[in-house]
Amino acid sequence: MFELDEKFFEELGVNNMPADEAQAFKDHVREEIEVRVGERISDGVPPEKLNEFEKIIDATDDNEAYNWLLANSIDYHNDELYTAIQSEGGSEQEILSEYAALKWIQLNRPDFSQIIATVSDELKKELKENIDKII
């Protein structure tokens, strides 16, 4: 859903690490941001809405995402976001699930971009304060 760029890691001095350690560190940071963003997204969201989201992302068939889309984004085929996801390839189930998850976030957490920025900034600050120990 989001991507950290190399500038983020350059600012931390990761380019001073051996390549294999740098990659492992980058993977860990990405995972940590995903966890923290997930926690922030769920703050204040009613349990039934979180269950709805889980059903969309964990769908084992197209029906869950498709049914949600019919109720919440009936014209999804004409959405630029859907077209962009579709152009990346994947099965219809994967495309519907990813699109429905992103639409769910847009509808239920319109502050998603700000959440990502805040979490990234907070983690960057933590890492900068401890980078000597990390490297």
Side-chain angles (χ1 to χ4, degrees), residues 26-118:
K26 290 175 182 180
D27 292 343
H28 175 72
V29 169
R30 285 183 179 101
E31 289 172 15
E32 183 64 22
I33 287 178
E34 287 179 12
V35 168
R36 292 182 185 196
V37 166
E39 289 171 352
R40 298 269 176 97
I41 288 173
S42 64
D43 285 349
V45 176
E48 61 274 3
K49 283 291 186 184
L50 291 177
N51 288 337
E52 179 181 72
F53 184 67
E54 287 178 21
K55 287 178 182 177
I56 291 168
I57 61 173
D58 294 337
T60 55
D61 61 43
D62 293 345
N63 290 336
E64 199 67 49
Y66 181 73
N67 289 338
W68 186 88
L69 288 171
L70 286 179
N72 296 279
S73 184
I74 197 160
D75 194 29
Y76 68 92
H77 281 102
N78 294 318
D79 188 330
E80 289 178 19
L81 178 60
Y82 179 81
T83 305
I85 293 169
Q86 194 175 37
S87 71
E88 293 174 5
S91 71
E92 184 66 15
Q93 176 183 343
E94 293 167 335
I95 294 166
L96 285 174
S97 183
E98 183 176 350
Y99 175 76
L102 290 172
K103 287 304 281 187
W104 185 96
I105 289 170
Q106 285 179 346
L107 292 171
N108 292 283
R109 287 313 303 244
D111 59 343
F112 180 67
S113 295
Q114 183 59 46
I115 290 171
I116 292 173
T118 300

Side-chain angles (χ1 to χ4, degrees), residues 14-26:
V14 174
N15 51 348
N16 298 330
M17 299 172 95
D20 59 332
E21 290 179 23
Q23 188 58 51
F25 178 73
K26 290 175 182 180

